[in-house]
Amino acid sequence: MDLFVGLDVSVRTTSVCVMDATGQILKEGKVETEPDAIGALLHSIGGHFKRVGLEAGPLSQWLYSGLAAAGYPVICVETRHMKAALSAQINKTDRND
């Protein structure tokens, strides 16, 4: 089963949401904003990760490099593109992001 991960990054913690291909949320959690901590959570879930996405920001290059080195298919989404996609949502909340 293909899994998709969304990371909502802040300075101290990162919210992690893991979904399957149908959009069903399988796991939500918060970890320290460290590539190793994020990787450990993903490793504990297991499965085939199709994409791990994070929004471009001050920590994105460091997180991207760490997760890519660990073998995760990580992508960094341009902030303006993410804003345009999220503005189409009716219920804009951090959890929905």
Side-chain angles (χ1 to χ4, degrees):
M1 165 175 30
D2 289 338
L3 302 177
F4 299 86
V5 181
L7 304 176
D8 188 12
V9 179
S10 66
V11 174
R12 293 190 177 147
T13 60
T14 295
S15 295
V16 180
C17 179
V18 180
M19 298 172 30
D20 64 13
T22 67
Q24 181 179 347
I25 295 174
L26 303 176
K27 174 82 174 175
E28 289 182 296
K30 267 191 180 182
V31 295
E32 291 181 40
T33 300
E34 298 278 340
D36 291 340
I38 297 168
L41 177 66
L42 298 180
H43 181 74
S44 73
I45 295 167
H48 176 258
F49 294 100
K50 184 77 170 175
R51 191 75 71 221
V52 177
L54 64 124
E55 189 175 12
L59 301 173
S60 59
Q61 185 176 10
W62 172 60
L63 290 173
Y64 179 96
S65 297
L67 292 170
Y72 293 101
V74 64
I75 61 166
C76 188
V77 181
E78 167 60 41
T79 307
R80 287 173 283 164
H81 293 154
M82 183 63 72
K83 182 179 178 184
L86 292 176
S87 68
Q89 289 183 347
I90 295 171
N91 297 323
K92 168 97 172 70
T93 65
D94 282 344
R95 185 172 189 271
N96 289 342
D97 289 355

